[in-house]
Amino acid sequence: MGVKASERLRTTLCGIALKNPVLAASGTFAYGVEFEKILDLNAMGGFVVKGLSREPMDGNPPPRVWEAEAGMMNSIGLQNIGVRAFVAEKLPALRKFDTAVFANVFGYAMEDYTEVVRVLEDHEGLAGYELNVSCPNTKHGGIFFSSDAGLLGELVAAVKKVAKRPVIVKLSPNVTKIEPLALAAEQAGADAVSLVNTLVSLAIDIRTRKPRLGAGFGGLSGPAIKPVALRMVCEAARAVKIPVIGLGGIGSGEDAAEFLIAGASAVEVGTATFWDPCSPLRIAGELDQFLREEKIGNVRELVGTLDWKR
Ligand SMILES: Cc1cc2nc3c(=O)[nH]c(=O)nc-3n(C[C@H](O)[C@H](O)[C@H](O)COP(=O)(O)O)c2cc1C
């Protein structure tokens, strides 16, 4: 399936030219190359690879996914091949594609993040980094990087010292107020913020009285979280000047348009790829169609045009 390169969809993000503003989200698009035979990677706006850690990780015990009402819960536990295997086994194949590839990076201490970025800095083929900050800092008593503005600022500043490529900070929705966190990322030098990651959730088997997921709690994603994500993207976009990337439950071009109107400069598509692996391209095509119908010359004209007046 292919979407023709459309001038209407062309945009830039942190100085990176994108064919369209629809990226595949981390954790739902493997390392990208696995999708080569399913959809035309060269037609994509870009994609974010599965979260990379210093060392390989096995992830959580099964079951690791559960279908919730209008959404999906997962407790994959950040299983991944580790940054060095990514560089040796995946990155060479990714280099041949003409699309923006972002490495999603995570860790449990600041040095984990900086070390992963340091390894990636030595290699060509990436457009930028997305930091998954929804991890507990094991050195600071397990406080989540994503919920403590001070800690988040320190982390972003440390990564910015080693990163020559743009750094996108991926925010968690599991906070009372998103603005201080978006601002902390911006003040520490983040080039953009993306939001939202999954919402912490629980499903119970009432017969066994056990959690449905092997790890107990899991992250909720998909259509169920879209209104919450949209609200938070709107709040973050009003708080910061750096670009905001919106995600959470996007499954159609209309959903994408809502996020852009709320203030996102680009969007990511996650769970929708589970029911339609071609969804990032389909959504880009639907967005193009919407722009054509609305007689909008370029998608950038849509960004942040939410009208509160009744
Ligand atoms: C199976 C699965 C694995 C995920 N793994 C990651 C990950 O490694 N890093 C990350 O930042 N987000 C990860 N996410 C979160 C998604 O990138 C996205 O933020 C979230 O699912 C909300 O978007 P959606 O509703 O379009 O799926 C994962 C989500 C799912 C469903």
Side-chain angles (χ1 to χ4, degrees):
M1 180 190 162
V3 59
K4 278 206 207 84
S6 156
E7 282 309 315
R8 268 185 296 269
L9 292 178
R10 279 191 196 282
T11 190
T12 56
L13 182 71
C14 314
I16 304 156
L18 302 181
K19 288 174 189 162
N20 69 68
V22 184
L23 316 176
S26 179
T28 60
F29 208 67
Y31 302 100
V33 277
E34 297 82 354
F35 281 71
E36 184 182 8
K37 292 197 171 71
I38 299 172
L39 79 176
D40 180 5
L41 296 177
N42 292 313
M44 291 184 72
F47 53 83
V48 189
V49 304
K50 175 67 188 165
L52 298 168
S53 49
R54 260 169 113 147
E55 304 300 331
M57 279 177 57
D58 291 337
N60 282 329
R64 309 207 292 189
V65 287
W66 175 253
E67 189 172 341
E69 295 79 6
M72 167 177 150
M73 289 167 56
N74 90 82
S75 61
I76 305 298
L78 296 165
Q79 178 187 359
N80 78 102
I81 59 175
V83 68
R84 286 178 182 83
F86 171 76
V87 160
E89 297 162 22
K90 305 288 179 182
L91 200 51
L94 286 175
R95 274 189 207 113
K96 64 177 195 254
F97 297 108
D98 178 21
T99 189
V101 181
F102 294 87
N104 183 278
V105 172
F106 74 93
Y108 296 93
M110 299 212 190
E111 306 83 72
D112 297 337
Y113 285 86
T114 51
E115 179 57 21
V116 173
V117 170
R118 211 170 267 135
V119 172
L120 295 171
E121 276 292 311
D122 289 339
H123 302 273
E124 295 298 318
L126 292 171
Y129 307 112
E130 180 181 64
L131 305 187
N132 175 3
V133 295
S134 300
C135 300
N137 181 326
T138 42
K139 286 204 178 147
H140 281 67
I143 306 169
F144 285 82
F145 288 105
S146 55
S147 58
D148 184 300
L151 207 53
L152 181 66
E154 268 182 62
L155 173 66
V156 175
V159 170
K160 278 296 289 180
K161 272 199 193 130
V162 292
K164 289 191 196 76
R165 299 176 173 124
V167 174
I168 302 164
V169 177
K170 183 168 182 182
L171 301 174
S172 162
N174 304 306
V175 295
T176 315
K177 280 186 79 60
I178 199 72
E179 292 94 330
L181 295 147
L183 279 167
E186 178 177 57
Q187 281 156 13
D191 297 279
V193 289
S194 57
L195 68 159
V196 296
N197 211 315
T198 54
L199 276 82
V200 180
S201 57
L202 174 66
I204 296 172
D205 179 337
I206 57 168
R207 303 286 168 200
T208 61
R209 305 199 188 171
K210 290 184 191 303
R212 295 282 191 187
L213 293 173
F217 296 134
L220 180 65
S221 61
I225 73 167
K226 199 191 90 181
V228 178
L230 197 55
R231 184 265 298 171
M232 291 189 133
V233 164
C234 180
E235 288 174 333
R238 290 202 282 180
V240 296
K241 292 187 186 64
I242 52 175
V244 172
I245 303 164
L247 74 158
I250 296 177
S252 68
E254 277 142 25
D255 292 339
E258 278 192 84
F259 278 80
L260 297 168
I261 292 168
S265 298
V267 296
E268 292 179 19
V269 174
T271 302
T273 51
F274 279 69
W275 44 270
D276 173 11
C278 297
S279 57
L281 282 184
R282 173 180 52 76
I283 291 168
E286 291 169 1
L287 181 62
D288 191 41
Q289 172 72 19
F290 168 75
L291 296 174
R292 193 163 47 222
E293 283 165 17
E294 291 291 310
K295 300 190 174 36
I296 297 170
N298 184 273
V299 67
R300 278 169 296 196
E301 293 164 41
L302 199 59
V303 174
T305 54
L306 180 60
D307 181 3
W308 288 100
K309 289 195 294 291
R310 284 270 151 221

